[in-house]
Amino acid sequence: MDLTAVALLVSLVSVSLSAENAGGKARSCTDVRQFYSGKGFTLNGVPQSEISGEHLRICPQGYTCCTSAMEETLSNLSRREFEGLVREAGRSIQALLNAQYRTFDTYFLELLNGSERWLEEAFVAALGELYRLNAGVFRDLYAELHRYYSGASLNLEEALDEFWMKLLERLLKASDPETASLLSDDFLDCASKQTETLRPFGDAPRELKAKLVRAFIAARAFVQGLNAAGEIVRKVSQVPLSPECNRAIMKLVYCPHCRGLGSVKPCINYCKNVMKGCLANQADLDTEWQSLIETMLQVASSFGAEPSMDTVIYSIPVRISEAVLAMQENMEIYTSKVFKACGDRGEEGTPSSISEEPKKKERTVTALEYKPSPKSAARLEVQVTDVYSKLKEMQLYWIQLPSALCSGKTASSTTGDKCWNGITKASYLPEVMGDGLANQINNPEVEIDITKPDRTIRQQIMLLKIMSNRLKNALEGNDVDFQDTSDDFSGSGSGMCADHLCVRGRPPVFGPKTDRPKLYATGPENKRVKGSGNQIQPSFILLIVFFVSLLLRR
């Protein structure tokens, strides 16, 4: 039986019922009046008993308890309620994304702050005032790491290179304090250019860069993905209802009351067709939304891969100590070669005051080693597991939304003949439409022009593609120049911005601003660093030997 025959049959049933009703006594509108006043509306003009419904523009035109004014009022109410339901569903997803942001952001910053605190306390304990005079070099490094993670437009590899250059300059000056003030900028620039071939710090800078840059790229892309996903949900959830959809929602929800069938729930398949039609544009986000979530899951899984994220961050002080040990061991050899290439005390070609055949010092201590704490590994595993489960929950959000809105009190849980089918209390025969705009061409409940997709939602689909690509780049360890891609998002600021959303340097746009963890006041030795990725026992002997050797050169 085709749809035309079905519609004709239902119309005949409706006319028959109306004629039967006309032959008898008009039914009371007491239930409708009670329902209408319960919604907060005045009863002025509300019929006491049923009237002829030729005036109705949305509901079936049989005998009714609704006037034209009541139909318009209920239509506006159905629109507000439906848009509110969609926004509320979106807020629940935003809350999940915001919770994941806060959890990961807190965890990551605890690792980074714990690493900085450990380095500072270890060096202060070993060197006291000597470290404090040069502490700015190390603090600047961590400040740059914080800025990069927060979304600042900077090249992390260049920031690390700059740190090693500053450290080299300080060590060169410390190796010969009497002539430190005579080292010209040209000499220091020349010396820095020799680092690639002379490698005064050994392999530590290269090893740190390879692992640290990759970890930070992934962490930054992950939190930006969470922020972008939340903002996309917010925007899509605020797309207004079309006039055609408004009519369909009114007919689904409140027309039964006008027909005296207020206690009859809509048929489940009827409800699904209305919702699939009204949310057709939103369902088109599904492919790119699932791609984004899947890529974020892969990035989250990479945090626990060897070397794990917490291990990498807590390796910063270790690599720095290895670097200064290498510099200490090879200081005379290195300075000899540098002075030959760049000139003594900044005067090119001047003979070096260092011995032509310096003797390489033997290493007297071993490099600092550490083992990740089982508790920190467990905490990281919990982080990844929680992220994985929560993101999985929302992966099918856009195509599950119509069914979710039809569940519970909205529609009948059965497919029998005791539900509202849009005309009367009977079964609903049309088949359920598929998901997305293209599948609504034959939707019997909502008139949709499938050639005119919603512009706002199409923009959000494009943003999903952009963010997915950035996360895929992060998986490969490739950074993204957010400044050059500013055209991808509306907004004037640098960074990943979408209208007022700008991830760079701001807290998440949804939810309260989180308090960033502060540096710990107590040392890690004999104490557990709260939230730290690893328990590292610093080798103070290593540090003391290095800096004492520098002091002896004075």
Side-chain angles (χ1 to χ4, degrees):
M1 184 181 293
D2 59 24
L3 294 179
T4 304
V6 171
L8 179 61
L9 177 60
V10 173
S11 297
L12 289 174
V13 172
S14 177
V15 170
S16 175
L17 291 173
S18 298
E20 181 180 339
N21 189 72
K25 184 179 181 181
R27 287 180 295 185
S28 170
C29 291
T30 301
D31 290 344
V32 177
R33 289 171 62 86
Q34 183 177 358
F35 154 76
Y36 198 67
S37 63
K39 291 291 183 179
F41 304 121
T42 178
L43 292 177
N44 293 337
V46 178
Q48 295 287 346
S49 58
E50 288 184 329
I51 59 176
S52 179
E54 289 86 355
H55 57 278
L56 298 178
R57 297 178 178 273
I58 300 175
C59 298
Q61 293 183 336
Y63 276 83
T64 182
C65 287
C66 289
T67 63
S68 295
M70 291 174 64
E71 187 183 46
E72 182 178 358
T73 299
L74 291 174
S75 177
N76 292 333
L77 176 63
S78 67
R79 174 181 54 79
R80 293 194 300 272
E81 289 180 341
F82 177 77
E83 290 176 348
L85 286 174
V86 173
R87 285 195 299 270
E88 185 60 33
R91 279 193 288 267
S92 68
I93 296 298
Q94 288 178 270
L96 284 174
L97 291 166
N98 193 24
Q100 291 304 307
Y101 176 96
R102 289 198 308 267
T103 300
F104 179 82
D105 185 61
T106 299
Y107 173 71
F108 187 84
L109 290 174
E110 282 180 355
L111 290 179
L112 188 55
N113 288 336
S115 174
E116 181 178 15
R117 180 203 55 78
W118 174 78
L119 181 147
E120 183 166 343
E121 290 189 355
F123 277 63
V124 166
L127 304 163
E129 187 61 26
L130 181 60
Y131 167 73
R132 293 188 180 91
L133 293 174
N134 298 285
V137 176
F138 304 100
R139 290 172 184 168
D140 287 347
L141 170 63
Y142 279 94
E144 291 293 89
L145 295 177
H146 275 276
R147 288 185 62 237
Y148 178 85
Y149 170 71
S150 297
S153 180
L154 63 90
N155 187 305
L156 189 54
E157 292 190 9
E158 291 179 358
L160 289 172
D161 290 341
E162 180 69 16
F163 163 73
W164 292 115
M165 291 302 101
K166 288 181 179 178
L167 185 59
L168 175 64
E169 177 183 338
R170 296 299 181 94
L171 294 179
L172 282 174
K173 291 181 177 180
S175 68
D176 191 3
E178 294 182 359
T179 60
S181 60
L182 301 177
L183 296 178
S184 67
D185 291 339
D186 289 340
F187 174 83
L188 293 172
D189 182 60
C190 176
S192 68
K193 292 177 181 178
Q194 307 302 313
T195 57
E196 185 174 349
T197 54
L198 300 181
R199 296 170 60 212
F201 293 120
D203 292 331
R206 178 181 57 81
E207 292 178 358
L208 181 62
K209 179 188 291 187
K211 297 172 182 177
L212 192 65
V213 168
R214 193 180 189 94
F216 269 76
I217 288 174
R220 181 167 85 160
F222 183 71
V223 295
Q224 288 173 336
L226 291 172
N227 260 321
E231 178 65 3
I232 287 169
V233 171
R234 185 189 68 81
K235 284 194 169 185
V236 172
S237 299
Q238 292 180 351
V239 172
L241 204 61
S242 68
E244 295 77 17
C245 186
N246 191 10
R247 291 174 59 86
I249 293 294
M250 167 62 189
K251 190 176 179 181
L252 173 76
V253 178
Y254 288 128
C255 283
H257 292 275
C258 293
R259 290 300 304 271
L261 299 172
S263 62
V264 180
K265 290 185 177 182
C267 301
I268 183 67
N269 287 347
Y270 169 42
C271 180
K272 286 182 178 179
N273 273 344
V274 172
M275 295 302 173
K276 284 178 180 285
C278 289
L279 298 172
N281 280 284
Q282 287 85 339
D284 281 345
L285 282 105
D286 177 64
T287 299
E288 295 304 330
W289 177 264
Q290 288 204 50
S291 176
L292 175 65
I293 297 298
E294 185 61 36
T295 310
M296 290 180 67
L297 290 172
Q298 294 175 21
V299 173
S301 296
S302 72
F303 296 149
E306 292 298 330
S308 62
M309 183 175 62
D310 55 343
T311 300
V312 171
I313 293 177
Y314 260 83
S315 72
I316 299 173
V318 177
R319 293 291 173 259
I320 293 175
S321 67
E322 290 175 349
V324 293
L325 268 178
M327 186 69 176
Q328 171 218 346
E329 218 176 39
N330 299 295
M331 179 66 78
E332 292 184 357
I333 296 175
Y334 172 74
T335 53
S336 175
K337 292 180 178 180
V338 166
F339 287 150
K340 283 182 179 180
C342 302
D344 189 9
R345 295 188 297 277
E347 299 172 4
E348 188 172 354
T350 304
S352 173
S353 61
I354 306 295
S355 172
E356 295 295 333
E357 297 181 357
K359 295 181 180 180
K360 181 178 178 180
K361 291 187 177 182
E362 294 183 359
R363 184 186 291 268
T364 57
V365 293
T366 58
L368 177 63
E369 295 181 359
Y370 65 93
K371 293 182 179 180
S373 165
K375 290 184 177 180
S376 70
R379 185 181 178 194
L380 179 58
E381 184 178 355
V382 169
Q383 292 280 326
V384 174
T385 301
D386 186 57
V387 165
Y388 196 89
S389 64
K390 292 300 189 299
L391 291 181
K392 270 292 184 183
E393 288 177 10
M394 64 183 75
Q395 194 164 11
L396 300 177
Y397 171 71
W398 296 110
I399 57 174
Q400 290 178 342
L401 184 57
S403 295
L405 293 177
C406 287
S407 63
K409 298 180 179 180
T410 305
S412 173
S413 58
T414 65
T415 56
D417 59 359
K418 295 182 179 180
C419 53
W420 170 254
N421 64 6
I423 297 177
T424 188
K425 181 181 178 181
S427 59
Y428 183 76
L429 301 180
E431 64 179 0
V432 177
M433 299 292 101
D435 299 303
L437 191 61
N439 287 318
Q440 307 310 310
I441 189 170
N442 292 318
N443 193 315
E445 308 305 333
V446 188
E447 295 181 10
I448 299 177
D449 186 350
I450 65 171
T451 66
K452 296 181 179 180
D454 184 88
R455 183 173 179 271
T456 298
I457 291 179
R458 295 296 142 174
Q459 289 174 341
Q460 304 313 305
I461 292 174
M462 182 57 65
L463 295 183
L464 285 171
K465 290 181 180 180
I466 293 170
M467 197 64 237
S468 292
N469 287 332
R470 291 177 177 176
L471 284 160
K472 289 173 183 175
N473 273 307
L475 278 172
E476 300 299 322
N478 298 323
D479 201 357
V480 177
D481 188 343
F482 287 85
Q483 184 70 34
D484 289 346
T485 59
S486 58
D487 289 342
D488 298 338
F489 299 86
S490 58
S492 59
S494 61
M496 193 198 71
C497 299
D499 289 351
H500 66 280
L501 167 66
C502 188
V503 174
R504 178 170 302 139
R506 295 189 184 181
V509 295
F510 41 90
K513 180 178 179 181
T514 57
D515 292 329
R516 295 289 174 97
K518 296 182 173 60
L519 293 177
Y520 303 109
T522 57
E525 191 171 26
N526 299 325
K527 294 186 179 181
R528 169 90 178 148
V529 178
K530 180 181 178 182
S532 65
N534 299 288
Q535 292 278 351
I536 304 177
Q537 301 299 326
S539 175
F540 291 109
I541 296 177
L542 179 153
L543 297 170
I544 292 172
V545 168
F546 162 62
F547 282 101
V548 167
S549 68
L550 294 181
L551 288 173
L552 292 175
R553 297 176 182 274
R554 290 181 176 273

